[in-house]
Amino acid sequence: MRELRNIVVLTGAGISAESGVATFRGPGGLWEGHRVEDVCTPEALARDPETVHRFYDERRAGLATVEPNAAHHALARLDAEWRGELLIVTQNVDDLHERAGAKRLLHMHGELRSALCANCGGRRHWQGALAPGRDCDACGEAMLRPDIVFFGEIPYHMERIEHALADADLFVSIGTSGAVYPAAGFVQSARRHGADTLELNLEPSGGSIFFAESRMGPAGVLVPEWVE
Ligand code: BV8
Ligand code: ZN
């Protein structure tokens, strides 16, 4: 057993479920009647900006009504205390990991609390609604869009993530259905580089077969147990 020094944690919507943030693909996993694959695309933003902006504006506003749960706090404790390498990669666009105190954190699918200028690529922290098309203060164009990685767009931080997976001794996946790539392929990459693999999820996921160990249950229970 390699000395356990470098850990990569991947989180998905399931880690925020107990905070009251709806998941995508669970029961009723539709968003205001939308499938995430239908509104989370550059084509949808071009074709129907109001609907796409509303989809994200409502989720951004919802952040004010939710709090980090025991799973977010446990990962933040691990981040503060773990002296080896640690990288928390989240597919989530909420800010619950940050609010729990996590520091070694990357959002690979973007963040609700950030706006991206489709014209100049400028980014800025954003709280309120982005509709109906706010001006970018860097270039003056009304081209601000949600700073979200849509389907068909390249996820953020992929090089850093791939290096961390190559060096990992342990890869832990928490609350993700394994439905979306490249995140769903991280477990195989970690295994190929000799890492141990653990899945903490409410139910078996699309990738469960790739994990050396899968524990089923709510993240709010399993993650603090694992971190201790
Ligand atoms: C890319 C934006 C190229 C933000 C999202 C055909 C085959 C393979 C791949 C493809 C294909 N066709 C197209 C693709 C590529 C595509 C893809 O994977 N499509 C899928 C649908 C097949 N991927 C892309 O386009 C990506 N880009 O590939 O670029 C590339 C590739 C590599 C390198 C360079 C370039 C871009 C994908 C990003 C899309 N953006 N979101 C937002 O709106 O939120 S994806 C969206 O799904 C969210 O980000 C979400 O995080 C993500 C995954 O969902 P989950 O987090 O897993 O949530 P889900 O509801 O599905 O599952 C929740 C889980 O939690 C469940 O298992 C449940 O049991 C569990 N759970 C529930 N409650 C609890 C719990 N667990 C514990 N405790 C609980 N209490
Ligand atoms: Zn701009």
Side-chain angles (χ1 to χ4, degrees), residues 141-218:
E141 293 296 319
M143 296 282 281
L144 286 185
R145 57 164 272 186
D147 187 8
I148 295 289
V149 177
F150 289 148
F151 284 99
E153 295 184 328
I154 297 179
Y156 295 152
H157 310 299
M158 282 307 293
E159 213 163 300
R160 273 191 62 188
I161 294 168
E162 280 154 0
H163 283 132
L165 291 170
D167 294 345
D169 304 303
L170 174 63
F171 174 74
V172 185
S173 175
I174 303 169
T176 181
S177 63
V180 173
Y181 287 82
F186 290 171
V187 57
Q188 288 148 287
S189 173
R191 275 182 80 105
R192 247 197 326 277
H193 291 98
D196 200 358
T197 53
L198 169 64
E199 178 183 44
L200 307 178
N201 206 56
L202 194 64
E203 66 212 355
S205 74
S208 293
I209 48 164
F210 299 116
F211 287 87
E213 184 189 353
S214 274
R215 294 178 199 163
M216 298 293 117

Side-chain angles (χ1 to χ4, degrees), residues 18 91 98 100 130-131 134 147 173 187 196:
E18 289 156 83
Q91 299 173 90
E98 292 87 334
L130 269 172
R134 302 302 180 92
D147 187 8
S173 175
V187 57
D196 200 358

Side-chain angles (χ1 to χ4, degrees), residues 15-82:
I15 199 170
S16 297
E18 289 156 83
S19 296
V21 179
T23 62
F24 292 92
R25 297 173 183 85
L30 287 180
W31 279 81
E32 287 84 41
H34 299 297
R35 277 172 14 94
V36 68
E37 288 81 4
D38 297 341
V39 284
C40 177
T41 67
E43 296 75 22
L45 181 65
R47 181 182 66 242
D48 184 359
E50 290 71 34
T51 297
V52 175
H53 273 308
R54 190 169 54 250
F55 177 70
Y56 287 101
D57 288 351
E58 283 169 3
R59 291 171 65 193
R60 187 176 308 105
L63 292 180
T65 65
V66 295
E67 295 293 327
N69 64 55
H72 297 106
H73 288 298
L75 287 185
R77 206 165 40 253
L78 177 70
D79 193 350
E81 293 162 10
W82 186 255

